[in-house]
Short mmCIF file of all heavy atoms in Angstrom, two decimals:
data_model
loop_
_atom_site.label_atom_id
_atom_site.label_comp_id
_atom_site.label_asym_id
_atom_site.label_seq_id
_atom_site.Cartn_x
_atom_site.Cartn_y
_atom_site.Cartn_z
N GLN A 128 8.78 13.97 -50.86
CA GLN A 128 8.24 14.96 -49.95
C GLN A 128 9.16 15.26 -48.76
O GLN A 128 9.37 16.42 -48.40
CB GLN A 128 6.88 14.51 -49.42
CG GLN A 128 5.74 14.59 -50.41
CD GLN A 128 5.83 13.56 -51.52
OE1 GLN A 128 6.21 12.41 -51.27
NE2 GLN A 128 5.47 13.96 -52.73
N SER A 129 9.71 14.22 -48.17
CA SER A 129 10.49 14.42 -46.94
C SER A 129 11.96 14.03 -47.08
O SER A 129 12.68 14.02 -46.08
CB SER A 129 9.86 13.58 -45.81
OG SER A 129 9.86 12.20 -46.16
N GLY A 130 12.41 13.73 -48.27
CA GLY A 130 13.79 13.30 -48.45
C GLY A 130 14.80 14.41 -48.22
O GLY A 130 14.54 15.58 -48.50
N TRP A 131 15.95 14.03 -47.71
CA TRP A 131 16.99 15.02 -47.43
C TRP A 131 17.49 15.71 -48.70
O TRP A 131 17.78 16.90 -48.68
CB TRP A 131 18.18 14.34 -46.73
CG TRP A 131 17.84 13.68 -45.44
CD1 TRP A 131 16.70 13.85 -44.70
CD2 TRP A 131 18.65 12.75 -44.71
NE1 TRP A 131 16.74 13.08 -43.58
CE2 TRP A 131 17.93 12.39 -43.55
CE3 TRP A 131 19.90 12.18 -44.93
CZ2 TRP A 131 18.42 11.49 -42.62
CZ3 TRP A 131 20.40 11.29 -44.00
CH2 TRP A 131 19.67 10.95 -42.86
N LEU A 132 17.58 14.95 -49.80
CA LEU A 132 18.13 15.52 -51.03
C LEU A 132 17.25 16.67 -51.54
O LEU A 132 17.75 17.75 -51.90
CB LEU A 132 18.27 14.44 -52.09
CG LEU A 132 18.91 14.87 -53.41
CD1 LEU A 132 20.29 15.48 -53.18
CD2 LEU A 132 19.02 13.69 -54.36
N ASN A 133 15.93 16.46 -51.57
CA ASN A 133 15.04 17.51 -52.03
C ASN A 133 15.02 18.70 -51.08
O ASN A 133 14.87 19.85 -51.50
CB ASN A 133 13.62 16.96 -52.21
CG ASN A 133 13.47 16.21 -53.52
OD1 ASN A 133 14.43 16.09 -54.28
ND2 ASN A 133 12.28 15.72 -53.79
N ARG A 134 15.16 18.42 -49.78
CA ARG A 134 15.20 19.54 -48.83
C ARG A 134 16.46 20.37 -49.01
O ARG A 134 16.42 21.60 -48.88
CB ARG A 134 15.13 19.00 -47.41
CG ARG A 134 13.77 18.40 -47.06
CD ARG A 134 13.58 18.23 -45.58
NE ARG A 134 12.22 17.80 -45.26
CZ ARG A 134 11.74 17.71 -44.03
NH1 ARG A 134 12.52 18.03 -43.00
NH2 ARG A 134 10.50 17.33 -43.81
N MET A 135 17.57 19.74 -49.34
CA MET A 135 18.79 20.50 -49.61
C MET A 135 18.65 21.29 -50.90
O MET A 135 19.17 22.41 -51.01
CB MET A 135 19.99 19.55 -49.68
CG MET A 135 20.41 18.99 -48.32
SD MET A 135 21.97 18.07 -48.38
CE MET A 135 21.47 16.65 -49.36
N LEU A 136 17.95 20.73 -51.90
CA LEU A 136 17.73 21.47 -53.13
C LEU A 136 16.82 22.67 -52.91
O LEU A 136 16.98 23.71 -53.57
CB LEU A 136 17.13 20.54 -54.20
CG LEU A 136 18.03 19.42 -54.73
CD1 LEU A 136 17.27 18.52 -55.68
CD2 LEU A 136 19.26 20.00 -55.42
N GLU A 137 15.86 22.55 -51.99
CA GLU A 137 14.98 23.67 -51.69
C GLU A 137 15.75 24.86 -51.11
O GLU A 137 15.37 26.01 -51.30
CB GLU A 137 13.89 23.23 -50.71
CG GLU A 137 12.86 22.30 -51.33
CD GLU A 137 11.84 21.82 -50.30
OE1 GLU A 137 11.96 22.24 -49.13
OE2 GLU A 137 10.94 21.05 -50.68
N VAL A 138 16.83 24.58 -50.41
CA VAL A 138 17.63 25.65 -49.81
C VAL A 138 18.19 26.57 -50.89
O VAL A 138 18.30 27.79 -50.70
CB VAL A 138 18.77 25.06 -48.95
CG1 VAL A 138 19.69 26.16 -48.44
CG2 VAL A 138 18.18 24.27 -47.78
N VAL A 139 18.54 26.00 -52.05
CA VAL A 139 19.09 26.80 -53.14
C VAL A 139 18.03 27.15 -54.18
O VAL A 139 18.35 27.57 -55.29
CB VAL A 139 20.26 26.05 -53.81
CG1 VAL A 139 21.41 25.89 -52.85
CG2 VAL A 139 19.81 24.68 -54.34
N GLY A 140 16.75 26.95 -53.82
CA GLY A 140 15.66 27.38 -54.68
C GLY A 140 15.29 26.42 -55.78
O GLY A 140 14.69 26.82 -56.79
N ILE A 141 15.62 25.14 -55.65
CA ILE A 141 15.30 24.13 -56.66
C ILE A 141 14.25 23.17 -56.10
O ILE A 141 14.41 22.65 -55.00
CB ILE A 141 16.55 23.36 -57.09
CG1 ILE A 141 17.60 24.30 -57.68
CG2 ILE A 141 16.19 22.26 -58.11
CD1 ILE A 141 18.90 23.62 -58.04
N ASN A 142 13.19 22.96 -56.87
CA ASN A 142 12.17 21.98 -56.49
C ASN A 142 12.59 20.60 -57.00
O ASN A 142 12.58 20.34 -58.20
CB ASN A 142 10.81 22.36 -57.07
CG ASN A 142 10.26 23.64 -56.46
OD1 ASN A 142 10.45 23.88 -55.26
ND2 ASN A 142 9.58 24.45 -57.26
N GLY A 143 12.98 19.76 -56.08
CA GLY A 143 13.47 18.44 -56.47
C GLY A 143 12.37 17.56 -57.02
O GLY A 143 11.19 17.70 -56.67
N PRO A 144 12.71 16.63 -57.89
CA PRO A 144 11.70 15.73 -58.47
C PRO A 144 11.31 14.63 -57.49
O PRO A 144 11.93 14.44 -56.45
CB PRO A 144 12.43 15.14 -59.68
CG PRO A 144 13.87 15.14 -59.27
CD PRO A 144 14.06 16.35 -58.41
N ASN A 145 10.28 13.91 -57.86
CA ASN A 145 9.88 12.74 -57.08
C ASN A 145 10.70 11.56 -57.61
O ASN A 145 10.28 10.85 -58.51
CB ASN A 145 8.38 12.48 -57.24
CG ASN A 145 7.86 11.57 -56.14
OD1 ASN A 145 8.61 10.81 -55.54
ND2 ASN A 145 6.56 11.67 -55.87
N TRP A 146 11.88 11.38 -57.04
CA TRP A 146 12.88 10.49 -57.60
C TRP A 146 12.36 9.08 -57.84
O TRP A 146 12.54 8.52 -58.93
CB TRP A 146 14.09 10.43 -56.66
CG TRP A 146 14.77 11.73 -56.44
CD1 TRP A 146 14.48 12.65 -55.48
CD2 TRP A 146 15.83 12.28 -57.22
NE1 TRP A 146 15.30 13.74 -55.59
CE2 TRP A 146 16.15 13.54 -56.65
CE3 TRP A 146 16.56 11.84 -58.32
CZ2 TRP A 146 17.16 14.35 -57.16
CZ3 TRP A 146 17.57 12.64 -58.82
CH2 TRP A 146 17.86 13.88 -58.25
N ILE A 147 11.72 8.51 -56.86
CA ILE A 147 11.35 7.10 -56.94
C ILE A 147 10.11 6.87 -57.78
O ILE A 147 9.95 5.82 -58.41
CB ILE A 147 11.16 6.53 -55.51
CG1 ILE A 147 12.48 6.65 -54.73
CG2 ILE A 147 10.69 5.09 -55.54
CD1 ILE A 147 12.37 6.21 -53.29
N LEU A 148 9.21 7.84 -57.84
CA LEU A 148 7.94 7.67 -58.56
C LEU A 148 7.95 8.30 -59.94
O LEU A 148 6.91 8.39 -60.58
CB LEU A 148 6.80 8.25 -57.73
CG LEU A 148 6.57 7.60 -56.36
CD1 LEU A 148 5.41 8.27 -55.64
CD2 LEU A 148 6.33 6.11 -56.51
N SER A 149 9.11 8.74 -60.41
CA SER A 149 9.22 9.34 -61.73
C SER A 149 9.90 8.36 -62.68
O SER A 149 10.95 7.80 -62.36
CB SER A 149 10.02 10.65 -61.65
OG SER A 149 10.33 11.12 -62.95
N GLU A 150 9.31 8.18 -63.86
CA GLU A 150 9.90 7.27 -64.84
C GLU A 150 11.25 7.78 -65.33
O GLU A 150 12.09 6.98 -65.77
CB GLU A 150 8.95 7.11 -66.03
CG GLU A 150 7.64 6.44 -65.69
CD GLU A 150 6.78 6.23 -66.93
OE1 GLU A 150 7.35 5.91 -68.00
OE2 GLU A 150 5.55 6.40 -66.84
N THR A 151 11.46 9.08 -65.27
CA THR A 151 12.72 9.67 -65.74
C THR A 151 13.79 9.65 -64.66
O THR A 151 14.95 9.29 -64.91
CB THR A 151 12.49 11.11 -66.21
OG1 THR A 151 11.52 11.12 -67.25
CG2 THR A 151 13.79 11.73 -66.72
N TRP A 152 13.41 10.01 -63.43
CA TRP A 152 14.39 10.20 -62.37
C TRP A 152 14.66 8.94 -61.56
O TRP A 152 15.54 8.94 -60.70
CB TRP A 152 13.95 11.32 -61.43
CG TRP A 152 13.99 12.66 -62.08
CD1 TRP A 152 12.94 13.35 -62.62
CD2 TRP A 152 15.15 13.47 -62.30
NE1 TRP A 152 13.38 14.54 -63.15
CE2 TRP A 152 14.72 14.64 -62.96
CE3 TRP A 152 16.50 13.31 -61.99
CZ2 TRP A 152 15.61 15.65 -63.32
CZ3 TRP A 152 17.38 14.31 -62.35
CH2 TRP A 152 16.95 15.47 -63.01
N VAL A 153 13.93 7.88 -61.80
CA VAL A 153 14.15 6.66 -61.02
C VAL A 153 15.50 6.03 -61.35
O VAL A 153 16.15 5.42 -60.49
CB VAL A 153 13.01 5.65 -61.24
CG1 VAL A 153 13.03 5.10 -62.67
CG2 VAL A 153 13.07 4.52 -60.22
N TYR A 154 15.98 6.21 -62.58
CA TYR A 154 17.27 5.64 -62.95
C TYR A 154 18.44 6.38 -62.29
O TYR A 154 19.37 5.74 -61.78
CB TYR A 154 17.42 5.62 -64.47
CG TYR A 154 16.36 4.80 -65.15
CD1 TYR A 154 15.42 5.39 -65.98
CD2 TYR A 154 16.28 3.42 -64.95
CE1 TYR A 154 14.43 4.64 -66.60
CE2 TYR A 154 15.31 2.66 -65.57
CZ TYR A 154 14.38 3.28 -66.40
OH TYR A 154 13.40 2.53 -66.99
N PRO A 155 18.44 7.73 -62.27
CA PRO A 155 19.46 8.40 -61.45
C PRO A 155 19.39 8.01 -59.98
O PRO A 155 20.43 7.91 -59.31
CB PRO A 155 19.17 9.89 -61.65
CG PRO A 155 18.50 9.96 -62.98
CD PRO A 155 17.69 8.70 -63.09
N ALA A 156 18.18 7.78 -59.47
CA ALA A 156 18.05 7.36 -58.07
C ALA A 156 18.73 6.01 -57.84
O ALA A 156 19.45 5.82 -56.85
CB ALA A 156 16.57 7.28 -57.68
N LEU A 157 18.52 5.08 -58.76
CA LEU A 157 19.18 3.78 -58.64
C LEU A 157 20.69 3.90 -58.79
O LEU A 157 21.46 3.17 -58.15
CB LEU A 157 18.62 2.82 -59.69
CG LEU A 157 17.17 2.37 -59.49
CD1 LEU A 157 16.68 1.60 -60.72
CD2 LEU A 157 17.04 1.51 -58.25
N MET A 158 21.12 4.83 -59.62
CA MET A 158 22.56 5.04 -59.78
C MET A 158 23.17 5.59 -58.50
O MET A 158 24.28 5.20 -58.11
CB MET A 158 22.82 5.99 -60.95
CG MET A 158 22.56 5.38 -62.31
SD MET A 158 22.72 6.57 -63.66
CE MET A 158 24.38 7.15 -63.41
N PHE A 159 22.46 6.52 -57.82
CA PHE A 159 22.97 7.03 -56.55
C PHE A 159 23.17 5.89 -55.55
O PHE A 159 24.16 5.86 -54.82
CB PHE A 159 22.00 8.06 -55.97
CG PHE A 159 21.97 9.36 -56.73
CD1 PHE A 159 20.83 10.13 -56.78
CD2 PHE A 159 23.10 9.81 -57.41
CE1 PHE A 159 20.80 11.32 -57.48
CE2 PHE A 159 23.08 11.00 -58.12
CZ PHE A 159 21.92 11.76 -58.15
N MET A 160 22.24 4.96 -55.53
CA MET A 160 22.37 3.81 -54.63
C MET A 160 23.60 2.97 -55.01
O MET A 160 24.31 2.47 -54.14
CB MET A 160 21.12 2.95 -54.70
CG MET A 160 19.86 3.64 -54.25
SD MET A 160 18.42 2.54 -54.38
CE MET A 160 17.09 3.72 -54.09
N GLY A 161 23.84 2.85 -56.31
CA GLY A 161 24.99 2.07 -56.76
C GLY A 161 26.31 2.74 -56.43
O GLY A 161 27.29 2.07 -56.10
N PHE A 162 26.33 4.09 -56.51
CA PHE A 162 27.57 4.81 -56.18
C PHE A 162 27.99 4.59 -54.75
O PHE A 162 29.16 4.71 -54.41
CB PHE A 162 27.38 6.31 -56.44
CG PHE A 162 27.15 6.66 -57.88
CD1 PHE A 162 26.54 7.85 -58.23
CD2 PHE A 162 27.55 5.79 -58.89
CE1 PHE A 162 26.33 8.18 -59.56
CE2 PHE A 162 27.34 6.11 -60.22
CZ PHE A 162 26.73 7.30 -60.56
N TRP A 163 27.03 4.28 -53.89
CA TRP A 163 27.32 4.09 -52.47
C TRP A 163 28.26 2.92 -52.24
O TRP A 163 28.94 2.86 -51.22
CB TRP A 163 26.01 3.88 -51.73
CG TRP A 163 26.09 3.90 -50.24
CD1 TRP A 163 26.01 2.82 -49.40
CD2 TRP A 163 26.27 5.03 -49.40
NE1 TRP A 163 26.10 3.22 -48.09
CE2 TRP A 163 26.27 4.59 -48.06
CE3 TRP A 163 26.44 6.39 -49.64
CZ2 TRP A 163 26.43 5.44 -46.98
CZ3 TRP A 163 26.59 7.25 -48.57
CH2 TRP A 163 26.59 6.77 -47.27
N GLY A 164 28.32 1.99 -53.19
CA GLY A 164 29.11 0.78 -52.97
C GLY A 164 30.27 0.60 -53.92
O GLY A 164 30.65 -0.54 -54.22
N ILE A 165 30.86 1.69 -54.40
CA ILE A 165 31.96 1.58 -55.36
C ILE A 165 33.31 1.52 -54.67
O ILE A 165 34.35 1.58 -55.35
CB ILE A 165 31.95 2.76 -56.36
CG1 ILE A 165 32.19 4.08 -55.62
CG2 ILE A 165 30.66 2.78 -57.14
CD1 ILE A 165 32.32 5.26 -56.57
#
């Protein structure tokens, strides 16, 4: 609802998913966290 990523997607007309509460999108969310430490 209030995440920066979904708000940036709204600017270009995309409704972002509920990253953490979605069985599909939770894995990309965890990958984003992992990319932070490469």
Side-chain angles (χ1 to χ4, degrees):
Q128 286 71 39
S129 60
W131 300 346
L132 184 56
N133 280 1
R134 291 196 174 188
M135 288 188 292
L136 292 175
E137 289 177 0
V138 174
V139 294
I141 300 176
N142 293 324
N145 198 336
W146 299 89
I147 299 176
L148 298 180
S149 170
E150 295 183 38
T151 302
W152 291 100
V153 69
Y154 300 114
L157 291 171
M158 288 174 57
F159 289 150
M160 298 179 190
F162 295 159
W163 190 253
I165 64 174

